[in-house]
Amino acid sequence: MAEHTDLIEIHKQHRAGQDKYTYFLLAVTASAIAFSVQKTTNLILSWSMLPLALAVLLWGTSFFFGCKNLHWVQASIYANYSLLQLQKGVHRNQPNHPQLVEAAIKGVDSAIETNVDNADFYAKWQFRLLIIGAVLFLIWHVIEMAIRTWVQ
């Protein structure tokens, strides 16, 4: 029983760490967008801002993907809860025949797999878009520095 408790505790710690990471990326993304707005407050719109515009677009998409990741993680947890209820015979819509129970378990198992795959997709792209946006922001910054150097 102690081994089972250890597994549950490790899983809880892993899940908490993943959630913190996702929320951290959401905060970084929102901060990057806010910083970009602040940096451009007194600037005139020009073509040199195109990398920055793309960065903000990617950061916005990263934020959306982070929210979708959290949605799919929650859907996975709920489906897992339903699976455990079915296996214990206490689900509110528990089928009354063993073959129906087995079919329901297979269906929920499939849903869990899909939910996990979706969560993984959104998590990976949340990070990738954040980083690509950061690179575009740096490109914009170098372009602005170069323009100021040439103008003087």
Side-chain angles (χ1 to χ4, degrees):
M1 188 63 165
E3 291 176 11
H4 183 67
T5 304
D6 291 344
L7 287 174
I8 291 171
E9 186 57 34
I10 289 170
H11 176 65
K12 284 180 183 178
Q13 289 177 8
H14 173 72
R15 184 69 255 139
Q18 287 298 107
D19 286 345
K20 287 178 185 176
Y21 177 71
T22 299
Y23 286 118
F24 169 75
L25 293 180
L26 286 169
V28 168
T29 303
S31 297
I33 293 170
F35 182 69
S36 295
V37 169
Q38 187 269 331
K39 291 293 284 182
T40 57
T41 298
N42 295 321
L43 296 182
I44 298 169
L45 194 60
S46 69
W47 286 106
S48 66
M49 293 180 135
L50 187 58
L52 180 63
L54 291 172
V56 171
L57 178 67
L58 291 177
W59 287 332
T61 305
S62 172
F63 191 89
F64 174 76
F65 279 20
C67 293
K68 293 294 284 183
N69 171 38
L70 291 171
H71 166 80
W72 286 110
V73 166
Q74 290 304 311
S76 298
I77 291 170
Y78 184 77
N80 204 351
Y81 176 66
S82 293
L83 177 64
L84 292 172
Q85 287 179 317
L86 283 167
Q87 290 171 337
K88 291 186 182 294
V90 296
H91 193 277
R92 61 185 163 90
N93 296 322
Q94 185 76 23
N96 57 4
H97 191 278
Q99 288 177 326
L100 292 176
V101 171
E102 188 61 34
I105 287 173
K106 284 182 182 179
V108 173
D109 233 0
S110 176
I112 291 171
E113 188 175 320
T114 299
N115 294 346
V116 168
D117 289 346
N118 286 336
D120 185 55
F121 170 82
Y122 285 111
K124 285 178 183 173
W125 279 101
Q126 176 190 17
F127 178 75
R128 290 173 183 165
L129 294 171
L130 173 64
I131 297 303
I132 296 168
V135 169
L136 286 168
F137 177 83
L138 291 174
I139 290 169
W140 167 77
H141 187 68
V142 169
I143 290 170
E144 287 298 315
M145 289 172 49
I147 289 171
R148 284 192 302 274
T149 301
W150 293 326
V151 169
Q152 289 182 353

